[in-house]
């Protein structure tokens, strides 16, 4: 079995920004509060405790109790909700879209990273309590991003019209979808468990928020996960002062622009708008735009004066929805949160926000890159052993992998570097002669050297191609294995749905991941399933 360990920076699948963040490069240190290590949580706890409004805890607990009133709740989750009323209780949060049947695998990894970090913190800081939170992105409106999942290389898509926030979207029509998916699952206990999971979540609940809550609670309730739907009037009431600040002073815009300037050598993840809020109704989520001293709702006839929109805000805060810039602030205002766990893209946009948080005097959380995992089978590990492949080999780009393996398999060197160096040495004498005669001869020598070096390069390519043909059978097995582990030459966790692996491993899948994942270690975990 390959035993090498792949850290995120060497995996080849993370951006330069994430690699530099993990390496704690000095140019990024002003863009975050504290780096995620166990010791730094002590100061984070103290800062959050001093800056968090204790009254918000009462509202938070009340909202959660109401949201959990109609679903079976584990004792541990109940205890966690009740504990949030206490000043020594803090949250660790991850957020995710309401992807159909969890969407890609990394949905599991985000939540398990969150659960496991709370356990680590409790061991380190036993006088405090730590609650894992899954923030459901119920107010998002991009249905096309969440209405499908991949199972065994096939895309299962829920075709339906959608307007407004996806959390309020009716689950009507999923019975037909389920029939098609269920037929692909086949029979057996694990298949039956998956069918039951889908039915109870999506066919027994009227909207996508309730369905997603039920599914996440089924998978993670026993580990104490608390699931929050922040599309809620009571929680928005807490956020009114920050919405008002955004509407009148456009505070986020200038501060996020400043941070983006510091990140100009990287790919900018999000660009701020002047007002980073949407106007929200059941079938509507559109941007609020300030034009000619009027607040207009994009693509509608709705408009307000400043006094009118502030009156709506006071009476109906639920009609205001934060966008990607404001949502993190909303989260940190209503939760006693210490750390946000997200993927590379999420951490990238959080890095644009610290000066905005500082301006509105809200504690900026620790930012932690979620765990990444490659799930393998014993059969695949055996194949890797037989083919002499390390995990580093399998993580490399396919063309590079094939070239390296061809060179290793070849009984003679197929790299002509030595020949090229010898050729250059031979031309040194000609250059010495050329320098003593006409300049045109010097040019002819240079041209001839370049021609012969190029010729050697072409021969090198032809030899590599010939050796690839000779070892084609072995190379094909290598390519097939890499394609199994990296579907579409992408990370498995971004392509496959958890049900593909649950079908083989059942409920043990979650428990094995819980046991395996170490959130504060920036290594790509390899988990072999039976």
């Amino acid at each position: 079995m390959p035993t090498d360990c792949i850290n995120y920076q060497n995996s080849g699948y993370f951006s330069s920004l994430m690699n530099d963040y993990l390496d704690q490069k000095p140019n990024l240190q002003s863009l975050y509060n504290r780096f995620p290590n166990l010791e730094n949580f002590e100061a984070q706890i103290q800062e959050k405790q001093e800056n968090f409004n204790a009254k918000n805890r009462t509202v938070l607990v009340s909202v959660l109790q109401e949201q959990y009133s109609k679903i079976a709740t584990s004792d541990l989750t109940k205890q966690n909700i009740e504990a949030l009323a206490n000043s020594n209780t803090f949250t660790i949060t991850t957020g995710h879209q309401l992807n159909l049947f969890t969407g890609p695998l990394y949905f599991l990894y985000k939540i398990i990273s969150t659960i496991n970090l709370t356990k680590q913190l409790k061991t380190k800081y036993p006088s405090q309590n730590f609650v894992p939170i899954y923030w459901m992105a119920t107010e998002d409106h991009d249905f096309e991003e969440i209405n499908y999942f991949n199972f065994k290389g096939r895309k299962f898509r829920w075709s339906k019209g959608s307007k407004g926030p996806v959390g309020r979207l009716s689950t009507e029509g999923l019975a037909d979808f389920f029939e098609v998916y269920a037929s692909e699952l086949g029979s057996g206990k694990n298949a039956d468990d998956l069918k039951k999971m889908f039915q109870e979540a999506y066919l027994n609940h009227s909207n996508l928020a309730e369905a997603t809550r039920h599914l996440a609670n089924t998978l993670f309730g026993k580990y104490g996960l608390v699931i929050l739907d922040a599309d809620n009037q009571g929680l928005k009431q807490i956020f009114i002062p920050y919405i008002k600040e955004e509407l009148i002073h456009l505070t986020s815009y200038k501060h996020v622009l400043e941070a983006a300037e510091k990140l100009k050598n990287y790919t900018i993840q999000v660009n701020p708008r002047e007002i980073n809020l949407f106007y929200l109704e059941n079938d509507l989520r559109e941007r609020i735009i300030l034009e000619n001293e009027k607040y207009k709702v994009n693509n509608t006839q709705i408009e307000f004066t400043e006094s009118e929109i502030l009156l709506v805000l006071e009476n109906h805060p639920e009609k205001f929805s934060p966008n990607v810039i404001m949502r993190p602030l909303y989260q940190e205002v209503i939760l006693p949160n210490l750390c946000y766990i997200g993927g590379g893209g999420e951490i990238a946009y959080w890095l644009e926000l610290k000066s905005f948080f500082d301006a509105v005097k809200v504690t900026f959380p620790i930012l932690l890159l979620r765990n990444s995992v490659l799930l393998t089978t014993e059969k695949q590990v055996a194949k890797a052993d037989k083919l002499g492949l390390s995990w580093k080999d399998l993580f490399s780009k396919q063309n590079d992998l094939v070239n390296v393996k061809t060179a290793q398999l070849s009984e003679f060197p197929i790299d002509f570097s030595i020949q090229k160096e010898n050729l250059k040495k031979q031309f040194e004498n000609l250059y010495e002669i050329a320098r003593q005669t006409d300049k045109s001869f010097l040019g002819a020598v240079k041209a001839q050297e370049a021609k012969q070096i190029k010729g050697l390069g072409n021969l090198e390519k032809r030899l590599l191609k010939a050796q690839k043909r000779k070892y084609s059978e072995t190379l094909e097995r290598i390519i097939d294995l890499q394609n199994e582990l990296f579907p579409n030459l992408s990370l498995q966790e971004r392509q496959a749905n958890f049900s593909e692996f649950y079908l083989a491993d059942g409920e043990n899948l979650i428990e094995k991941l819980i046991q395996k994942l170490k959130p504060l270690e920036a290594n790509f975990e390899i988990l072999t399933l039976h």
Side-chain angles (χ1 to χ4, degrees):
M1 177 184 291
T3 56
D4 55 317
C5 181
I6 304 294
N7 67 25
Y8 292 158
Q9 296 96 312
N10 293 331
S11 71
Y13 284 95
F14 289 85
S15 68
S16 60
L17 176 57
M18 281 306 94
N19 289 338
D20 287 354
Y21 175 64
L22 293 169
D23 288 335
Q24 302 180 60
K25 292 290 179 69
N27 62 308
L28 297 178
Q29 286 176 4
S30 66
L31 301 178
Y32 58 91
N33 198 8
R34 296 177 179 88
F35 192 75
N37 60 52
L38 211 50
E39 290 68 32
N40 279 345
F41 277 91
E42 183 175 359
Q44 190 74 20
I45 289 167
Q46 185 175 347
E47 183 181 346
K48 189 68 180 182
Q49 198 158 32
E50 291 171 357
N51 294 342
F52 187 69
N53 188 335
K55 293 178 182 177
N56 294 359
R57 290 181 179 274
T58 304
V59 178
L60 177 63
V61 171
S62 175
V63 168
L64 286 167
Q65 287 174 336
E66 193 278 327
Q67 291 184 355
Y68 270 86
S69 63
K70 295 178 182 177
I71 67 172
T73 310
S74 72
D75 289 342
L76 187 51
T77 295
K78 285 178 184 174
Q79 290 168 21
N80 279 340
I81 292 172
E82 290 166 5
L84 285 167
N86 302 323
S87 62
N88 68 335
T89 299
F90 301 90
T91 62
I92 304 297
T93 302
T94 193
H96 198 69
Q97 294 171 297
L98 307 189
N99 295 72
L100 187 61
F101 213 39
T102 77
L105 266 167
Y106 66 82
F107 171 83
L108 270 64
Y109 307 156
K110 289 173 95 169
I111 290 179
I112 293 170
S113 299
T114 305
I115 291 167
N116 282 358
L117 182 56
T118 61
K119 292 178 180 178
Q120 264 188 285
L121 290 171
K122 184 62 177 174
T123 301
K124 177 72 174 176
Y125 305 103
S127 61
Q128 272 88 31
N129 300 313
F130 305 94
V131 175
I133 299 281
Y134 162 38
W135 178 292
M136 295 194 296
T138 52
E139 295 180 47
D140 280 6
H141 61 271
D142 198 340
F143 183 61
E144 293 301 312
E145 287 187 2
I146 67 169
N147 68 344
Y148 69 93
F149 60 85
N150 298 316
F151 177 75
K152 294 188 175 181
R154 180 181 170 190
K155 181 172 281 191
F156 288 79
R157 185 181 293 276
W158 177 23
S159 298
K160 182 183 178 73
S162 172
K163 293 180 180 178
V166 294
R168 303 181 191 180
L169 184 67
S170 168
T171 53
E172 187 179 353
L174 276 172
D176 293 336
F177 175 97
F178 173 66
E179 280 188 27
V180 177
Y181 173 56
S183 67
E184 291 294 317
L185 285 172
S187 58
K189 183 186 182 306
N190 294 341
D192 290 343
D193 287 347
L194 286 166
K195 291 171 191 174
K196 182 182 178 185
M197 225 182 284
F198 191 100
Q199 284 177 302
E200 290 185 348
Y202 295 96
L203 307 190
N204 294 350
H205 292 89
S206 60
N207 65 49
L208 200 51
E210 291 174 359
T212 304
R213 181 195 301 282
H214 182 93
L215 179 60
N217 186 60
T218 299
L219 291 169
F220 299 107
K222 72 176 183 179
Y223 301 103
L225 182 69
V226 174
I227 303 155
L228 177 62
D229 179 0
D231 182 8
N232 178 276
Q233 185 182 28
L235 295 175
K236 292 282 178 73
Q237 195 83 31
I238 296 171
F239 200 51
I240 285 176
Y242 302 91
I243 297 174
K244 187 175 180 179
E245 172 81 15
E246 180 71 6
L247 289 169
I248 296 174
H249 300 296
L250 317 180
T251 307
S252 65
Y253 179 67
K254 54 189 175 186
H255 288 285
V256 176
L257 274 184
E258 288 170 9
E261 179 62 23
K262 294 180 181 178
L263 291 165
K264 63 184 179 181
N265 293 328
Y266 304 98
T267 300
I268 300 298
Q269 196 67 25
V270 294
N271 290 300
R273 299 187 182 277
E274 284 192 332
I275 296 176
N276 292 284
L277 294 165
F278 290 93
Y279 190 77
L280 191 68
E281 291 179 355
N282 279 340
D283 293 319
L284 177 72
R285 188 177 187 247
E286 287 285 354
R287 289 192 294 116
I288 299 172
I289 302 167
L290 182 61
E291 284 183 358
N292 302 320
E293 298 185 353
K294 289 276 185 134
Y295 292 89
K296 299 181 179 180
V297 178
N298 198 35
N299 296 322
T300 75
Q301 299 300 312
I302 304 169
E303 65 176 36
F304 307 95
T305 64
E306 182 180 295
S307 60
E308 286 170 342
I309 201 168
L310 293 180
L311 185 62
V312 175
L313 174 60
E314 287 298 325
N315 294 326
H316 297 285
E318 72 278 4
K319 289 182 178 288
F320 296 82
S321 177
N323 76 349
V324 67
I325 297 291
M326 287 289 286
R327 189 212 66 78
L329 181 68
Y330 180 34
Q331 171 190 298
E332 297 302 312
V333 166
I334 66 175
L335 291 175
N337 195 50
L338 301 175
C339 174
Y340 183 76
I341 298 179
E346 291 175 282
I347 302 303
Y349 75 69
W350 273 87
L351 288 171
E352 297 179 44
L353 303 178
K354 184 175 182 294
S355 64
F356 168 44
F357 272 65
D358 291 345
V360 294
K361 297 180 172 59
V362 174
T363 297
F364 195 67
I366 290 173
L367 303 177
L368 177 61
L369 197 60
R370 65 165 172 82
N371 282 118
S372 281
V373 185
L374 177 63
L375 299 178
T376 67
T377 64
E378 291 175 339
K379 186 177 179 182
Q380 288 168 334
V381 169
K383 281 183 187 177
D385 276 343
K386 191 172 182 181
L387 293 166
L389 295 168
S390 66
W391 293 124
K392 183 181 178 183
D393 291 332
L394 287 163
F395 270 85
S396 60
K397 302 302 178 189
Q398 193 161 93
N399 191 55
D400 295 341
L401 173 60
V402 168
N403 289 344
V404 166
K405 285 301 167 187
T406 302
Q408 289 177 2
L409 289 165
S410 182
E411 63 272 23
F412 49 78
I414 55 176
D415 177 357
F416 283 3
S417 297
I418 293 173
Q419 288 83 350
K420 289 173 187 175
E421 284 303 312
N422 288 339
L423 185 65
K424 287 177 182 178
K425 286 177 182 176
Q426 290 174 11
F427 269 87
E428 285 175 6
N429 291 331
L430 285 173
Y431 278 120
E432 194 59 42
I433 294 170
R435 289 187 190 97
Q436 300 174 43
T437 184
D438 191 83
K439 286 183 180 179
S440 63
F441 184 64
L442 181 63
V445 172
K446 284 182 178 179
Q448 188 63 30
E449 181 187 26
K451 182 179 178 181
Q452 292 195 32
I453 291 288
K454 184 179 179 181
L456 276 175
N458 289 334
L459 285 173
E460 189 177 54
K461 289 176 185 175
R462 291 186 68 176
L463 179 58
L464 177 62
K465 197 172 180 179
Q467 291 299 88
K468 282 180 182 178
R469 283 195 299 269
K470 181 175 179 180
Y471 297 107
S472 60
E473 192 176 320
T474 300
L475 294 173
E476 206 169 299
R477 291 202 297 272
I478 290 171
I479 290 169
D480 287 346
L481 178 59
Q482 191 183 48
N483 287 343
E484 285 177 22
L485 295 170
F486 297 84
N488 299 321
L489 299 180
S490 176
L491 287 179
Q492 176 196 74
E493 63 187 37
R494 294 191 166 275
Q495 298 289 320
N497 180 259
F498 87 100
S499 58
E500 189 172 324
F501 300 90
Y502 195 99
L503 196 59
D505 227 45
E507 59 187 16
N508 290 332
L509 174 65
I510 305 292
E511 189 57 39
K512 286 177 181 177
L513 287 166
I514 290 278
Q515 295 300 321
K516 181 76 172 176
L517 302 195
K518 300 176 179 63
L520 294 175
E521 294 181 13
N523 291 323
F524 222 108
E525 298 288 354
I526 316 291
L527 178 58
T528 303
L529 305 174
H530 296 295

